[in-house]
Amino acid sequence: MRPTTRATTLEYALLGILDQDAHSGYELRRLFADTPLRYFSDSPGAIYPALRRLVARRWVAASAPAGGRRRRTFRLRAQGRQALRAWLTQPVTAQAVVHDPDSLTLRFAFMGQAASIAEIKAFLVGYEREMKAQLQVLREYHGALARGWPLTGRLAFEHGLALHETKLAWARTALRAVGGAKRGPDDRPRPARRPGPRDKG
Amino acid sequence: MRPTTRATTLEYALLGILDQDAHSGYELRRLFADTPLRYFSDSPGAIYPALRRLVARRWVAASAPAGGRRRRTFRLRAQGRQALRAWLTQPVTAQAVVHDPDSLTLRFAFMGQAASIAEIKAFLVGYEREMKAQLQVLREYHGALARGWPLTGRLAFEHGLALHETKLAWARTALRAVGGAKRGPDDRPRPARRPGPRDKG
DNA sequence: GGATACATGTAAGATGTTACATGATTGT
DNA sequence: ACAATCATGTAACATCTTACATGTATCC
């Protein structure tokens, strides 16, 4: 019954949003269409099936259509919160830095809700480490080969270098910002919702 | 017979590489696996079908297996070069800046081979314009809403802002670099290969 | 002779895109 | 009444991932 494959970035994005508030499918689409989350597609053919999968995984619960409307709202369940936390607190790998940098940023954005300060710092330390390593690889490549390239190839490469440098600098700034943060609500993950008499999916 | 759908970014990436030199499928995989092009997947299940599609479109020609080996090399045909140019010289849209920034950089990287200085400058001017607009949108969003966000959400947003600023700065640097470039081989597109007696696919 | 790299491919499955379908609600 | 927006979905299609299959050349 439960999907056996790993969840997609879109599914985790939905999870992260639902962690902050319950939403309907339509609201989620609007969010993807109108806010800086527009990075994701707002196509119904992506979002509604993704929500169904999340329900099938028992990570979110869907309300019954309310008030004569067909509108249903989705909210995170304890299992979903656990899955979100597992995703957020994964170690930062070189693999992810190269092939999926955007989902790293997404993970960090959601950490404030569901991760501890220690976990946030661990993320940033890993991010800094991997970005530094990757930057070194790129610089060596640049030094060895860029001379023979056409102008635009070299400039495009330097575009990539500059982005990596910016990311590295950001990680350091962010570490300082988090390090200086007072212990507060971000201190440790919010306790999971107490299981009710019956969590109906 | 020819595919009617638009070509994918992977197909254009292959086209751009083949524009510089003929390669076998395996070499292309190696390129994606070992160089900064590692951004693309090196999975054979992606590359070989993509090459087949390019042959079906008559954009590239495949050599017969050479020297008892099964190895075949692929080279760009005139039609493929034309398709590549059309892709490279598309205007830079806000859409692309938001949803597909990487393929913009890829286009720029390939422009040195197949586009004129004027086209390269037009790209950079468009890139600068759209990046500036997008940066403004993000800054307004930040100013209006960031106050209420959790720390990591705000930092993640600032990560995005910093990247956009870097891209904008890059566009300006690149414009200066291209503007100062002497007229030379990059001056206009290389002439298309003269059609031989028969271009066998 | 055996391991490793070379070299090309297929099959199953999941995801996402595009386009269409359907109907309720709200504003004019 | 009509249009626009709200709201949820399906169907067809293409692509990509992962894993497997197959065989050759080369090195030790």
Side-chain angles (χ1 to χ4, degrees):
Chain A
M1 202 98 283
R2 273 164 63 167
T4 60
T5 54
R6 252 169 309 230
T8 64
T9 306
L10 173 59
E11 287 174 72
Y12 284 116
L14 292 170
L15 233 47
I17 297 168
L18 293 177
D19 182 34
Q20 307 178 11
D21 246 322
H23 286 289
S24 69
Y26 190 73
E27 284 169 350
L28 291 163
R29 279 187 63 202
R30 264 31 279 275
L31 234 47
F32 287 148
D34 303 333
T35 73
L37 278 170
R38 68 163 68 70
Y39 169 74
F40 287 97
S41 157
D42 63 335
S43 101
I47 290 177
Y48 289 108
L51 285 169
R52 259 204 305 279
R53 291 195 298 273
L54 290 175
V55 170
R57 284 179 207 276
R58 318 214 71 198
W59 286 358
V60 310
S63 74
R69 307 261 192 104
R70 280 193 296 167
R71 178 186 200 131
R72 294 188 304 157
T73 56
F74 297 87
R75 64 170 179 73
L76 200 60
R77 300 182 60 192
Q79 283 180 47
R81 167 161 264 269
Q82 210 175 314
L84 178 62
R85 264 186 59 74
W87 181 66
L88 292 177
T89 56
Q90 277 174 117
V92 176
T93 63
Q95 171 83 4
V97 163
V98 173
H99 288 293
D100 204 7
D102 293 322
S103 80
L104 285 178
T105 315
L106 192 68
R107 278 170 52 189
F108 186 77
F110 288 142
M111 277 191 152
Q113 295 289 323
S116 70
I117 288 268
E119 285 162 337
I120 291 170
K121 282 185 183 168
F123 175 96
L124 287 172
V125 167
Y127 193 84
E128 185 189 356
R129 171 178 27 85
E130 296 303 335
M131 208 53 75
K132 221 163 132 181
Q134 181 60 15
L135 196 48
Q136 166 117 14
V137 169
L138 292 178
R139 284 212 181 104
E140 274 167 22
Y141 210 90
H142 187 246
L145 296 174
R147 225 155 294 266
W149 292 355
L151 179 60
T152 63
R154 211 178 65 234
L155 287 169
F157 197 98
E158 284 159 9
H159 180 275
L161 271 175
L163 292 187
H164 279 79
E165 279 159 7
T166 299
K167 289 178 182 198
L168 180 56
W170 171 83
R172 288 168 176 165
T173 307
L175 258 175
R176 277 194 302 275
V178 173
K182 291 183 183 64
R183 299 181 76 79
D186 279 337
D187 185 2
R188 56 197 171 79
R190 290 197 316 240
R193 200 171 61 78
R194 280 198 210 90
R198 183 50 106 196
D199 248 355
K200 78 157 182 272
Chain B
M1 202 95 284
R2 272 164 65 168
T4 60
T5 53
R6 252 171 306 231
T8 63
T9 305
L10 173 59
E11 287 174 69
Y12 283 117
L14 292 170
L15 233 47
I17 296 168
L18 293 177
D19 182 34
Q20 305 178 13
D21 247 322
H23 286 289
S24 69
Y26 190 74
E27 284 169 350
L28 291 164
R29 281 187 62 201
R30 267 26 282 274
L31 234 45
F32 288 148
D34 303 334
T35 73
L37 279 170
R38 68 164 69 69
Y39 170 73
F40 287 97
S41 156
D42 64 334
S43 101
I47 289 177
Y48 289 108
L51 285 170
R52 258 203 306 279
R53 291 195 298 272
L54 290 175
V55 171
R57 283 179 207 275
R58 319 214 71 196
W59 286 358
V60 310
S63 74
R69 307 261 191 102
R70 279 194 296 168
R71 178 187 199 132
R72 293 188 303 157
T73 56
F74 298 87
R75 64 170 179 73
L76 200 59
R77 300 182 61 192
Q79 283 180 46
R81 167 161 263 268
Q82 209 176 314
L84 177 62
R85 264 187 59 75
W87 180 67
L88 293 177
T89 58
Q90 276 175 118
V92 176
T93 63
Q95 171 84 3
V97 163
V98 173
H99 288 294
D100 204 8
D102 292 323
S103 80
L104 284 178
T105 316
L106 192 67
R107 278 169 53 189
F108 187 78
F110 288 142
M111 277 190 151
Q113 296 287 323
S116 70
I117 288 269
E119 286 163 337
I120 291 169
K121 281 185 182 166
F123 176 96
L124 288 172
V125 167
Y127 193 83
E128 185 189 355
R129 171 179 25 86
E130 295 304 333
M131 209 52 76
K132 221 163 131 182
Q134 180 59 14
L135 195 49
Q136 166 116 13
V137 169
L138 292 178
R139 284 212 181 104
E140 274 166 24
Y141 210 89
H142 188 246
L145 295 175
R147 224 154 297 265
W149 292 354
L151 179 60
T152 64
R154 212 177 64 233
L155 286 170
F157 197 98
E158 284 159 10
H159 180 275
L161 270 175
L163 291 187
H164 279 80
E165 279 160 7
T166 300
K167 288 177 182 198
L168 180 56
W170 172 83
R172 288 168 176 166
T173 308
L175 258 175
R176 277 194 301 276
V178 172
K182 290 184 187 62
R183 300 182 74 79
D186 280 336
D187 185 3
R188 57 199 170 76
R190 289 197 317 236
R193 199 171 64 78
R194 281 199 209 89
R198 183 52 106 198
D199 249 355
K200 75 159 183 276

